[in-house]
Amino acid sequence: MPKINPIVSLFFLISVLISIFLTTSLFGIRRVYDSGISQTDRLIPLFTDKPISQQINPLQNGLNTIYVYMRNRSILNTSPVRFLLSDDTGNALRQIDINGSNIGDGENVRFQFLPISDSAGRSYIVTLSTSKNSSNEPYVEIGFTKDKMSYLANYRPTNKKILFKNIMLGLILKLNQPRLYIIALLVGGFNCYLLSLLIQKSNENK
């Protein structure tokens, strides 16, 4: 039985890992970042008579998840909270009801729903409301930056070519950092070193 070169085995393993990563990226991703406002500099209480709304404009088709920064101080509020997604004419498209006890003391709360296939470039209204809450009771607060609600919109990829393009663009943007440049150079240099050893070993066996 021929002896397997350990360097060849290492390169084969690296290739398999890269293939698994790309396959998972293209076919296993359920949520990819689309748009949003991640900063939070103030909190606004959510009361029965004061629902909170925010217009969003997804960039991609397949909108299926919206994260909203919410705070339930010491998890004292147990009132129902309703998430409503409607189009720009007011037609309700998606509705999710949760309990205040499902909201932590400052976190991005996930509202996931069936993907909207033609969401790209359209305007939607996110409305948060509660049916039982007053200023005399523990209340839920919604994160804001200036006059905009803090939210993150995600989409479920439907076009694998566009997904691959976005993954590559995201990788390039992430690499645009000095620390990652150093890591990339070290990894690239190590791979070149291994490749040189493989070529040298191959020449010796001839």
Side-chain angles (χ1 to χ4, degrees), residues 70-72 75 81 98-107 109 140:
M70 308 175 74
R71 183 177 186 183
N72 183 6
I75 325 296
V81 174
I98 64 173
N99 190 280
S101 58
N102 300 126
I103 301 171
D105 194 347
E107 64 177 359
V109 178
V140 170

Side-chain angles (χ1 to χ4, degrees), residues 44-54 82 84 126-131 142 144 149:
I44 294 182
L46 180 64
F47 295 137
T48 302
D49 58 342
K50 294 181 179 179
I52 293 176
S53 299
Q54 172 67 48
R82 172 166 293 178
L84 182 67
V126 172
T127 302
L128 295 168
S129 61
T130 181
S131 59
I142 310 300
F144 268 73
M149 184 173 72

